[in-house]
Amino acid sequence: MLKTLTSVNEYLDFINEINSDPNFSDPMLSSQEEMRCNLLDAPGKPANHIWGVFEEDRIIGLFVFLILEEESYIEMLAGLSRIPKAYKETLSFLKDNYKGCKADFVYNPANHLLHNLLLAEKTEFEAEQQKMVLKRDVPCQSCHKIQLYSPQYREQYLALHSDDGYWTAEKVIDASDRFRILLALEEDTVVGYMDITHKFEENEPFDFFVKEEYRRRGYGRAILAKAIELNRPKAMMLLVDTDNTAAISLYESLGFDRFAGGNNITAHVSL
């Protein structure tokens, strides 16, 4: 049985038990900051829906979803269970109540229960990503010009920005309380950008891009170094495709270390 929860406090033992299991831990809850933002503070956010799945009085699954009905968008912020029934009931509830919405699931690659369930749906899977955490202070100097976004570069930024995913260029610009936008300039031309959060104790890039013809010239390194400088003294993490060895080497050279157990897969589902 699926029930709406108004608090997660009485289920902390269940949460910690599942999240400590390497096969069913949730990569969206892999740090104290993520645990607070995606789960513990969820009851106070109107767009967040918290559901428990129960067998009689025993909880077997706990889920938090961000649901933006006006945008037909859903995102799983937390999903904890070791029981197939919990995932099946939750997905069935979403399909029955939010037909036509697009749902994003970010989950542990070792979670075969959720993965196999999504395989049976109309699902698009992204590549597995490695979590990396900034651990070391590495000095970096660059001759490239990196500056914060300003409206004079709006059209260039919009034209360069990825259209994939929820955070479009327009939404990022409008969410200045959440995001910092860094631009790489060649004379007065935008050749790269980074969208990175700044409001949290641990911030992360959401989008990072350099034009093909300007790669391997130090622009990516310069953007990331500037992001690190502006983010201090807060923590920083990022996600990178596990097979992107060049990017992983760049991040390691700037002080990032691989975070064991933080890998994820993102699945896009049409309900």
mmCIF file of all heavy atoms in Angstrom, residues 3-28:
data_model
loop_
_atom_site.group_PDB
_atom_site.id
_atom_site.type_symbol
_atom_site.label_atom_id
_atom_site.label_comp_id
_atom_site.label_asym_id
_atom_site.label_seq_id
_atom_site.Cartn_x
_atom_site.Cartn_y
_atom_site.Cartn_z
ATOM 1 N N LYS A 3 1.315 5.218 0.728
ATOM 2 C CA LYS A 3 0.742 6.268 1.562
ATOM 3 C C LYS A 3 1.555 7.554 1.430
ATOM 4 O O LYS A 3 2.785 7.510 1.303
ATOM 5 C CB LYS A 3 0.748 5.851 3.040
ATOM 6 C CG LYS A 3 -0.050 4.612 3.374
ATOM 7 C CD LYS A 3 0.058 4.309 4.860
ATOM 8 C CE LYS A 3 -0.685 3.052 5.246
ATOM 9 N NZ LYS A 3 -0.542 2.730 6.694
ATOM 10 N N THR A 4 0.867 8.685 1.480
ATOM 11 C CA THR A 4 1.548 9.978 1.516
ATOM 12 C C THR A 4 2.092 10.211 2.914
ATOM 13 O O THR A 4 1.394 9.993 3.912
ATOM 14 C CB THR A 4 0.576 11.110 1.143
ATOM 15 O OG1 THR A 4 0.129 10.921 -0.205
ATOM 16 C CG2 THR A 4 1.258 12.470 1.248
ATOM 17 N N LEU A 5 3.344 10.654 2.999
ATOM 18 C CA LEU A 5 3.983 10.922 4.290
ATOM 19 C C LEU A 5 4.156 12.420 4.477
ATOM 20 O O LEU A 5 4.455 13.152 3.527
ATOM 21 C CB LEU A 5 5.354 10.243 4.355
ATOM 22 C CG LEU A 5 5.394 8.730 4.099
ATOM 23 C CD1 LEU A 5 6.838 8.227 4.193
ATOM 24 C CD2 LEU A 5 4.512 7.986 5.095
ATOM 25 N N THR A 6 3.961 12.877 5.683
ATOM 26 C CA THR A 6 4.167 14.295 6.007
ATOM 27 C C THR A 6 5.483 14.521 6.739
ATOM 28 O O THR A 6 5.879 15.655 6.975
ATOM 29 C CB THR A 6 3.015 14.824 6.869
ATOM 30 O OG1 THR A 6 2.912 14.025 8.056
ATOM 31 C CG2 THR A 6 1.706 14.769 6.097
ATOM 32 N N SER A 7 6.160 13.434 7.106
ATOM 33 C CA SER A 7 7.450 13.513 7.779
ATOM 34 C C SER A 7 8.209 12.217 7.514
ATOM 35 O O SER A 7 7.596 11.166 7.292
ATOM 36 C CB SER A 7 7.267 13.722 9.287
ATOM 37 O OG SER A 7 8.499 13.585 9.965
ATOM 38 N N VAL A 8 9.533 12.301 7.543
ATOM 39 C CA VAL A 8 10.344 11.089 7.376
ATOM 40 C C VAL A 8 11.053 10.713 8.674
ATOM 41 O O VAL A 8 11.769 9.710 8.722
ATOM 42 C CB VAL A 8 11.385 11.271 6.251
ATOM 43 C CG1 VAL A 8 10.699 11.549 4.919
ATOM 44 C CG2 VAL A 8 12.383 12.378 6.585
ATOM 45 N N ASN A 9 10.842 11.485 9.715
ATOM 46 C CA ASN A 9 11.611 11.298 10.944
ATOM 47 C C ASN A 9 11.473 9.902 11.553
ATOM 48 O O ASN A 9 12.455 9.331 12.034
ATOM 49 C CB ASN A 9 11.205 12.353 11.985
ATOM 50 C CG ASN A 9 11.632 13.746 11.582
ATOM 51 O OD1 ASN A 9 12.548 13.909 10.788
ATOM 52 N ND2 ASN A 9 10.961 14.766 12.123
ATOM 53 N N GLU A 10 10.267 9.340 11.532
ATOM 54 C CA GLU A 10 10.104 8.020 12.164
ATOM 55 C C GLU A 10 10.659 6.885 11.312
ATOM 56 O O GLU A 10 10.691 5.735 11.755
ATOM 57 C CB GLU A 10 8.634 7.760 12.480
ATOM 58 C CG GLU A 10 7.723 7.636 11.267
ATOM 59 C CD GLU A 10 6.283 7.376 11.672
ATOM 60 O OE1 GLU A 10 5.991 6.254 12.143
ATOM 61 O OE2 GLU A 10 5.467 8.307 11.533
ATOM 62 N N TYR A 11 11.125 7.217 10.093
ATOM 63 C CA TYR A 11 11.653 6.186 9.203
ATOM 64 C C TYR A 11 13.158 6.313 8.990
ATOM 65 O O TYR A 11 13.708 5.726 8.056
ATOM 66 C CB TYR A 11 10.926 6.248 7.856
ATOM 67 C CG TYR A 11 9.429 6.167 7.994
ATOM 68 C CD1 TYR A 11 8.630 7.285 7.734
ATOM 69 C CD2 TYR A 11 8.809 5.006 8.439
ATOM 70 C CE1 TYR A 11 7.254 7.227 7.885
ATOM 71 C CE2 TYR A 11 7.436 4.940 8.607
ATOM 72 C CZ TYR A 11 6.666 6.055 8.329
ATOM 73 O OH TYR A 11 5.293 5.992 8.498
ATOM 74 N N LEU A 12 13.838 7.059 9.868
ATOM 75 C CA LEU A 12 15.269 7.289 9.697
ATOM 76 C C LEU A 12 16.078 6.004 9.771
ATOM 77 O O LEU A 12 17.075 5.842 9.057
ATOM 78 C CB LEU A 12 15.773 8.298 10.730
ATOM 79 C CG LEU A 12 15.286 9.739 10.550
ATOM 80 C CD1 LEU A 12 15.823 10.639 11.656
ATOM 81 C CD2 LEU A 12 15.692 10.280 9.186
ATOM 82 N N ASP A 13 15.673 5.067 10.633
ATOM 83 C CA ASP A 13 16.394 3.788 10.709
ATOM 84 C C ASP A 13 16.293 3.042 9.381
ATOM 85 O O ASP A 13 17.288 2.481 8.900
ATOM 86 C CB ASP A 13 15.838 2.915 11.842
ATOM 87 C CG ASP A 13 16.225 3.435 13.220
ATOM 88 O OD1 ASP A 13 17.156 4.268 13.304
ATOM 89 O OD2 ASP A 13 15.583 3.033 14.208
ATOM 90 N N PHE A 14 15.099 3.036 8.790
ATOM 91 C CA PHE A 14 14.909 2.389 7.486
ATOM 92 C C PHE A 14 15.748 3.093 6.423
ATOM 93 O O PHE A 14 16.429 2.447 5.613
ATOM 94 C CB PHE A 14 13.425 2.432 7.106
ATOM 95 C CG PHE A 14 13.144 1.949 5.710
ATOM 96 C CD1 PHE A 14 13.013 0.597 5.438
ATOM 97 C CD2 PHE A 14 13.022 2.856 4.652
ATOM 98 C CE1 PHE A 14 12.763 0.149 4.142
ATOM 99 C CE2 PHE A 14 12.766 2.421 3.362
ATOM 100 C CZ PHE A 14 12.640 1.062 3.109
ATOM 101 N N ILE A 15 15.713 4.422 6.414
ATOM 102 C CA ILE A 15 16.468 5.214 5.434
ATOM 103 C C ILE A 15 17.956 4.898 5.519
ATOM 104 O O ILE A 15 18.620 4.618 4.506
ATOM 105 C CB ILE A 15 16.221 6.715 5.657
ATOM 106 C CG1 ILE A 15 14.783 7.080 5.280
ATOM 107 C CG2 ILE A 15 17.221 7.566 4.883
ATOM 108 C CD1 ILE A 15 14.349 8.452 5.762
ATOM 109 N N ASN A 16 18.489 4.914 6.733
ATOM 110 C CA ASN A 16 19.924 4.679 6.911
ATOM 111 C C ASN A 16 20.311 3.247 6.574
ATOM 112 O O ASN A 16 21.401 3.000 6.026
ATOM 113 C CB ASN A 16 20.340 5.022 8.339
ATOM 114 C CG ASN A 16 20.247 6.513 8.627
ATOM 115 O OD1 ASN A 16 20.452 7.331 7.734
ATOM 116 N ND2 ASN A 16 19.919 6.862 9.857
ATOM 117 N N GLU A 17 19.436 2.305 6.883
ATOM 118 C CA GLU A 17 19.720 0.900 6.573
ATOM 119 C C GLU A 17 19.826 0.679 5.063
ATOM 120 O O GLU A 17 20.784 0.077 4.573
ATOM 121 C CB GLU A 17 18.621 -0.004 7.148
ATOM 122 C CG GLU A 17 18.818 -1.478 6.801
ATOM 123 C CD GLU A 17 17.633 -2.334 7.195
ATOM 124 O OE1 GLU A 17 16.719 -1.823 7.882
ATOM 125 O OE2 GLU A 17 17.604 -3.516 6.804
ATOM 126 N N ILE A 18 18.850 1.169 4.317
ATOM 127 C CA ILE A 18 18.866 0.966 2.859
ATOM 128 C C ILE A 18 19.993 1.771 2.226
ATOM 129 O O ILE A 18 20.690 1.284 1.332
ATOM 130 C CB ILE A 18 17.516 1.358 2.230
ATOM 131 C CG1 ILE A 18 16.358 0.596 2.892
ATOM 132 C CG2 ILE A 18 17.539 1.093 0.724
ATOM 133 C CD1 ILE A 18 16.441 -0.901 2.775
ATOM 134 N N ASN A 19 20.197 2.982 2.692
ATOM 135 C CA ASN A 19 21.196 3.845 2.068
ATOM 136 C C ASN A 19 22.621 3.406 2.378
ATOM 137 O O ASN A 19 23.563 3.894 1.745
ATOM 138 C CB ASN A 19 20.996 5.305 2.487
ATOM 139 C CG ASN A 19 21.520 6.274 1.454
ATOM 140 O OD1 ASN A 19 21.322 6.079 0.251
ATOM 141 N ND2 ASN A 19 22.193 7.323 1.896
ATOM 142 N N SER A 20 22.793 2.505 3.321
ATOM 143 C CA SER A 20 24.127 1.973 3.612
ATOM 144 C C SER A 20 24.410 0.680 2.843
ATOM 145 O O SER A 20 25.515 0.152 2.914
ATOM 146 C CB SER A 20 24.278 1.711 5.115
ATOM 147 O OG SER A 20 23.375 0.707 5.549
ATOM 148 N N ASP A 21 23.414 0.194 2.113
ATOM 149 C CA ASP A 21 23.570 -1.014 1.300
ATOM 150 C C ASP A 21 24.166 -0.621 -0.050
ATOM 151 O O ASP A 21 23.556 0.150 -0.796
ATOM 152 C CB ASP A 21 22.200 -1.675 1.100
ATOM 153 C CG ASP A 21 22.282 -3.007 0.370
ATOM 154 O OD1 ASP A 21 23.178 -3.185 -0.473
ATOM 155 O OD2 ASP A 21 21.431 -3.878 0.633
ATOM 156 N N PRO A 22 25.351 -1.112 -0.407
ATOM 157 C CA PRO A 22 25.989 -0.682 -1.668
ATOM 158 C C PRO A 22 25.186 -1.001 -2.914
ATOM 159 O O PRO A 22 25.368 -0.359 -3.951
ATOM 160 C CB PRO A 22 27.326 -1.429 -1.665
ATOM 161 C CG PRO A 22 27.150 -2.561 -0.699
ATOM 162 C CD PRO A 22 26.189 -2.074 0.337
ATOM 163 N N ASN A 23 24.265 -1.958 -2.840
ATOM 164 C CA ASN A 23 23.446 -2.312 -3.993
ATOM 165 C C ASN A 23 22.188 -1.467 -4.118
ATOM 166 O O ASN A 23 21.604 -1.403 -5.216
ATOM 167 C CB ASN A 23 23.059 -3.793 -3.936
ATOM 168 C CG ASN A 23 24.253 -4.703 -4.128
ATOM 169 O OD1 ASN A 23 25.094 -4.457 -4.981
ATOM 170 N ND2 ASN A 23 24.337 -5.747 -3.312
ATOM 171 N N PHE A 24 21.763 -0.842 -3.023
ATOM 172 C CA PHE A 24 20.499 -0.106 -3.052
ATOM 173 C C PHE A 24 20.601 1.308 -2.489
ATOM 174 O O PHE A 24 19.582 1.986 -2.343
ATOM 175 C CB PHE A 24 19.415 -0.892 -2.307
ATOM 176 C CG PHE A 24 19.081 -2.190 -2.969
ATOM 177 C CD1 PHE A 24 19.639 -3.386 -2.523
ATOM 178 C CD2 PHE A 24 18.244 -2.229 -4.080
ATOM 179 C CE1 PHE A 24 19.352 -4.589 -3.162
ATOM 180 C CE2 PHE A 24 17.953 -3.418 -4.723
ATOM 181 C CZ PHE A 24 18.514 -4.608 -4.268
ATOM 182 N N SER A 25 21.802 1.740 -2.189
ATOM 183 C CA SER A 25 21.977 3.133 -1.750
ATOM 184 C C SER A 25 21.563 4.068 -2.874
ATOM 185 O O SER A 25 21.580 3.708 -4.054
ATOM 186 C CB SER A 25 23.435 3.378 -1.358
ATOM 187 O OG SER A 25 24.294 3.144 -2.463
ATOM 188 N N ASP A 26 21.190 5.284 -2.509
ATOM 189 C CA ASP A 26 20.716 6.256 -3.486
ATOM 190 C C ASP A 26 21.807 7.287 -3.744
ATOM 191 O O ASP A 26 22.232 7.985 -2.818
ATOM 192 C CB ASP A 26 19.456 6.945 -2.954
ATOM 193 C CG ASP A 26 18.758 7.789 -3.999
ATOM 194 O OD1 ASP A 26 19.452 8.337 -4.883
ATOM 195 O OD2 ASP A 26 17.527 7.904 -3.942
ATOM 196 N N PRO A 27 22.295 7.427 -4.984
ATOM 197 C CA PRO A 27 23.342 8.416 -5.271
ATOM 198 C C PRO A 27 22.886 9.852 -5.053
ATOM 199 O O PRO A 27 23.724 10.754 -4.928
ATOM 200 C CB PRO A 27 23.679 8.160 -6.742
ATOM 201 C CG PRO A 27 22.474 7.483 -7.303
ATOM 202 C CD PRO A 27 21.914 6.665 -6.187
ATOM 203 N N MET A 28 21.566 10.070 -4.997
ATOM 204 C CA MET A 28 21.048 11.412 -4.709
ATOM 205 C C MET A 28 21.091 11.717 -3.206
ATOM 206 O O MET A 28 20.728 12.811 -2.777
ATOM 207 C CB MET A 28 19.609 11.537 -5.215
ATOM 208 C CG MET A 28 19.476 11.408 -6.716
ATOM 209 S SD MET A 28 20.072 12.853 -7.599
ATOM 210 C CE MET A 28 18.661 13.962 -7.408
#
